[in-house]
Amino acid sequence: MTILVSDWNLERGSGKTTLAMRLAEYMDRTEEGFTKHKATLSAQELTEAYTRESPRSALLLDEGQAAASNRRAMSGVNEALRQIVGMGRVEQKYLILTAPGVHQIDSDIRAMADVWVFVRELGEAQIFRVKYNPFENHELTSDWGTIRWPGELPGDLEQVYDELTAEKRRRLRGKGEDGEGYVEASEVDDQIRQAKKAARQEKRDELLNSLYENGEMTQQELGEMVGLSRSRVADILSE
């Protein structure tokens, strides 16, 4: 079984990791139970654990959007995770991935998941059974109800949580095994500005296409409306 745990509103700090750990603890059927060796931030470590740990183990990939991002669909990491999710029944493992948003996960991995869990607020989440519509190429979900859990973790899970948190801090400072390193605040601001600019241009181009296709305005009139030359408008309409 593969479970994706995310937040309904893409919030951070809403308890996704603590919920995922409790689910892993309940689901693990091995003698040793859910241990720190079964929780990781690394896709490579996850694939190693998938063949190393005993059948009926529960494994957790925390912050899965970093390892299984939908922006790296053709990466070797995502391909390895697709194999795990697609052939998981062979190893008889439970796999839990967390991410701020379920759609930040690679689409193939997301579609093969059995259950999506959306945290609505700290201590409360909504569960959806996931199937797939092969004719329209999208997921089908059915509401399985609400789950609630206490915020505090028991001692053994608290230790696992603390180790994951420490690893997150290491990766932010460029010391993680496959982390991307610390990002300066100024660089983040530039990325935000670029993203906003791209979003505005996309909306502008959608409006230009709509007005032109409906015959409401000519290319020249559209250019005058948004401050572009007619030739630039023509290029946008042809893209």
Side-chain angles (χ1 to χ4, degrees), residues 204 208 219-230 232-233 236:
R204 179 203 65 191
L208 292 176
Q219 293 183 2
Q220 183 65 38
E221 291 171 335
L222 290 173
E224 293 173 355
M225 179 182 70
V226 296
L228 297 175
S229 66
R230 189 205 62 77
R232 178 61 187 132
V233 171
I236 292 173

Side-chain angles (χ1 to χ4, degrees), residues 16-238:
K16 296 184 295 296
T17 302
T18 57
L19 171 58
M21 286 186 171
R22 286 188 173 275
L23 291 173
E25 181 185 42
Y26 293 143
M27 297 168 71
D28 194 293
R29 298 291 190 271
T30 62
E31 184 175 347
E32 70 273 12
F34 180 68
T35 66
K36 64 180 182 180
H37 303 294
K38 299 178 181 180
T40 181
L41 300 171
S42 165
Q44 179 179 350
E45 291 178 1
L46 177 72
T47 56
E48 293 172 356
Y50 211 84
T51 54
R52 180 189 69 233
E53 298 298 334
S54 304
R56 305 170 74 186
S57 290
L59 306 176
L60 168 62
L61 177 61
D62 198 23
E63 302 293 347
Q65 78 281 358
S69 170
N70 58 7
R71 296 181 181 275
R72 295 189 294 177
M74 301 307 293
S75 72
V77 170
N78 279 0
E79 182 57 35
L81 287 174
R82 288 189 197 101
Q83 292 182 15
I84 288 177
V85 175
M87 297 185 291
R89 65 186 182 280
V90 176
E91 291 289 332
Q92 301 178 41
K93 302 295 195 317
Y94 301 97
L95 175 61
I96 304 172
L97 293 82
T98 73
V102 68
H103 287 83
Q104 293 174 318
I105 300 295
D106 175 78
S107 59
D108 288 344
I109 297 171
R110 187 176 70 229
M112 287 187 288
D114 301 288
V115 176
W116 292 351
V117 180
F118 290 97
V119 177
R120 286 194 172 274
E121 60 184 40
L122 186 62
E124 181 177 306
Q126 195 165 353
I127 306 174
F128 291 88
R129 176 70 169 97
V130 183
K131 295 187 178 181
Y132 190 74
N133 183 333
F135 301 103
E136 298 184 11
N137 194 30
H138 65 77
E139 301 91 349
L140 297 172
T141 59
S142 56
D143 191 346
W144 268 13
T146 301
I147 185 173
R148 295 180 176 85
W149 71 99
E152 295 183 358
L153 292 168
D156 53 345
L157 288 185
E158 186 70 33
Q159 182 181 358
V160 178
Y161 180 86
D162 289 343
E163 294 200 16
L164 276 178
T165 301
E167 179 63 16
K168 291 176 186 179
R169 292 195 179 103
R170 289 179 63 243
R171 290 175 183 239
L172 283 173
R173 289 159 177 78
K175 300 177 182 179
E177 181 176 323
D178 54 6
E180 305 231 351
Y182 179 76
V183 181
E184 296 289 345
S186 59
E187 184 178 341
V188 173
D189 289 340
D190 288 341
Q191 293 175 356
I192 292 174
R193 283 193 293 270
Q194 291 173 8
K196 288 182 177 179
K197 180 180 178 180
R200 287 194 297 268
Q201 289 181 346
E202 183 177 356
K203 288 295 183 182
R204 179 203 65 191
D205 294 350
E206 289 178 359
L207 175 62
L208 292 176
N209 274 282
S210 177
L211 292 173
Y212 187 71
E213 289 177 0
N214 292 332
E216 298 180 28
M217 301 179 70
T218 65
Q219 293 183 2
Q220 183 65 38
E221 291 171 335
L222 290 173
E224 293 173 355
M225 179 182 70
V226 296
L228 297 175
S229 66
R230 189 205 62 77
S231 59
R232 178 61 187 132
V233 171
D235 290 340
I236 292 173
L237 297 176
S238 65

